[in-house]
Amino acid sequence: MTMNRRLFMGTSAAALTTLAAPALLADGHGKPRVIVIGGGSGGATAARYIAKDNKGAVDVTLIEPSRTYYTCYFSNLYLGGFKEMDDLGHTYGTLASKYGVNVVHDWAIDVDRDAKTVSLAGGASLPYDKLILSPGIDFVDGAVEGWSVAAQNAMPHAYKAGSQTELLKAQIMAMPEGGTFAMVAPPNPYRCPPGPYERVSMVAHMLKANNPTAKIIVADPKPKFSKMALFQEGWADHYSGMIDWIGPDFGGGNVSVDPAAMTINIDGEETSVDVCNVIPAMKAGRIADMAGVTDGNWAPVNAADMSSKADEDVYVLGDASQQGDMPKSGFSANSQAKVCANAVRGALTGSKVFPAKFSNTCWSLIGTDDGVKVGATYEATDEKIAKVDGFISATGEDSATRKATYEESEGWYAGITADMFS
Amino acid sequence: MQAKALLPLAVAAFMVAGAGHAQDSDAVAAGEKVFGKCKSCHQIGAGATDRVGPHLNGLFGRPAGAHEGYRYSKSMERAGVDGLVWTAETLDAYIENPKSLVSKTRMNFRGLKSGADRANLLAYLRSFSDNPANIPEAEPTAKGIDHDLDPAILALEGDPEYGEYLSSECTACHQADGSADGIPSVTGWPIDDFVVAMHAYKDKLRPHPVMQMMAARLGDEEIAALAAYFKDLE
Ligand SMILES: Cc1cc2nc3c(=O)[nH]c(=O)nc-3n(C[C@H](O)[C@H](O)[C@H](O)COP(=O)(O)OP(=O)(O)OC[C@H]3O[C@@H](n4cnc5c(N)ncnc54)[C@H](O)[C@@H]3O)c2cc1C
């Protein structure tokens, strides 16, 4: 069955054929059951598309501890004063009322792939035919010397949006005049490649208005980063003299912090700082590990349908997956979820399965009305999700173009969140 | 330019530009006749002002929707911001089928199908642009090239179910309920307009980089499927 499907999906000419004998998968228990763990960008999209397109033929359960999902996208704009926290919150009511998704606000604490069950912190054990994991990221223990999740109040990561983001903003607003904001940037691969640098831009924007003699230090283990030329041009234009980016050549990769003393040590040199945003190295959300579908830090998947390389009935979406060339972004997670939903639906109900197509575009805001973007399209190969074609905003673009790009990002935000939650 | 230099200064001052290259003069003359179709809305030459449409002096090299004082459609303004500049090639495509380039243009003109008519008209329009010598020559193929879509492509019946699957790539940005702010609506379009517009992105006549990239890998059938699906939304 799986072999046939894979073969079949590899040939786009056969795209319109219907699968045979799918009812097998629901053996004996009526409607086929899908469990989605994680109601973020990937999980909410997958649950919505499977439920929407099946019109009740499949039971979809979404497990997500939070009642409100705060998007990381645009959370930097909140730091910069361009958005309110409320603009970033999305709830699950529509998924339940309009599409019949069974939304369970709880943590998944274990997966038994032999018994095909998921255990919840609240004690329940739920059976599945197909399991979709989209748990996002957790941090690698000991990635930044001196930092642990226990220290995230003193030195927030703000790389999962919500209270962490609010905390970081409060700390920025409370900085003394002429104070220092430090960021420890993460090594590759990590969620949202331009994210740390958009954040630096937004913090600089905030400080320029409220605390113009303040300084920003960025310690970075990477010699190059996403949209680097665009950010550096923008920093020189808008925030000249404020931002000190320290790459690995100058010791940016050799960092430790002391959250109690509020100091950062870069290549042997200790500096007292007022705010320290530590963004550690990342790995797949812990439940992926517990489900036994990770290899190292991430969960390898088949590009054609996002199924785990370890288990054909488990799919991994978004940041947690190791899929190939796509960046870890909300746009990517949403794109992967739609390919996965189509494949899961086909496997469970025999609906048409169309060939996989993926795309991504990431917008970043550098200053007021100064938006830039980078994007690409991808296809599934046997080996991985492979990049087909891409583009990036040019340096030196005129202000009308940059403004239009920013406005477009607002349109994208409205569009993609509707595609997940409404 | 040579022609202009020969004119007495006082006369030249009233002209927006010279009459173009000597070798093009036949084309310019023929183009003036073709311009008869445009005259009810557009003026050109000395003393031209905006009427129903903007005056057309200095058109070449100007970004779309950028002539100050004239109120363009939103669609035309957006095309300009996206990077549409009037050149021989883009004008040729626009005059052939205005909606291929600017979906909701207010220019109510069905288009000039004859490539020769368009080439002549462009030669005429070009003679009223500043500094015609600095205007890049059209690509040889742009003269009278047929931008019109193969009727076989327009005749393709799209499969709306396939379109629905493909549309999930579009709805990452374009809202399925048709609301538009920052990103235009794609629902409820007449099928032909949708197909023509997508092919204009695919052929890189329409400028937007994301759309060019997305359209580049859509086949004729996929575009037809999307058109069929989006037509009936809302
Ligand atoms: C500052 C910043 C800016 C960004 N900007 C952009 C941008 O502009 N554009 C863009 O496309 N992307 C952006 N991103 C990236 C984007 O947020 C992520 O890539 C995307 O959210 C990944 O989706 P996901 O489904 O993998 O994980 P998430 O969206 O993080 O969802 C994971 C969900 O799983 C839940 N969960 C985890 N473990 C369990 C468990 N055991 N049981 C139940 N539920 C669980 C979590 O509560 C969470 O809700 C940005 C990220 C950051 C940090």
Side-chain angles (χ1 to χ4, degrees), chain B residues 78-103:
Chain B
R78 187 192 298 275
V81 169
D82 282 349
L84 181 63
V85 172
W86 295 126
T87 63
E89 193 184 11
T90 54
L91 279 168
D92 194 42
Y94 185 65
I95 295 168
E96 182 178 24
N97 181 355
K99 285 185 175 168
S100 73
L101 237 58
V102 185
S103 321

Side-chain angles (χ1 to χ4, degrees), chain A residues 7 21 50 72 77 105 116 123 152 167 191 248 259 404 421:
Chain A
L7 260 168
I50 295 172
C72 284
L77 276 61
H105 289 302
K116 294 186 131 187
Q152 70 173 19
L167 175 65
R191 144 179 295 188
F421 295 102

Side-chain angles (χ1 to χ4, degrees), chain A residues 125-209:
Chain A
S125 169
L126 305 177
Y128 66 81
D129 297 302
K130 293 283 190 186
L131 174 65
I132 298 174
L133 298 173
S134 194
I137 50 115
D138 274 310
F139 301 110
V140 174
D141 286 338
V144 175
E145 197 187 323
W147 192 91
S148 73
V149 173
Q152 70 173 19
N153 258 27
M155 294 188 168
H157 52 78
Y159 235 63
K160 298 181 183 186
S163 47
Q164 274 279 304
T165 325
E166 290 178 298
L167 175 65
L168 183 63
K169 183 161 183 182
Q171 293 180 352
I172 295 165
M173 299 312 286
M175 275 170 66
E177 204 184 313
T180 303
F181 172 100
M183 171 188 282
V184 180
N188 289 321
Y190 61 96
R191 144 179 295 188
C192 193
Y197 311 98
E198 181 187 57
R199 174 169 298 169
V200 165
S201 311
M202 291 294 96
V203 171
H205 176 83
M206 199 40 142
L207 290 175
K208 191 177 167 185

Side-chain angles (χ1 to χ4, degrees), chain A residues 38 40-42 64-65 69 72-73 107-108 134-136 191-192 319 329-331:
Chain A
S41 308
E64 164 61 53
Y69 175 77
C72 284
Y73 16 110
W107 287 95
S134 194
R191 144 179 295 188
C192 193
D319 293 353
S329 74
F331 199 123

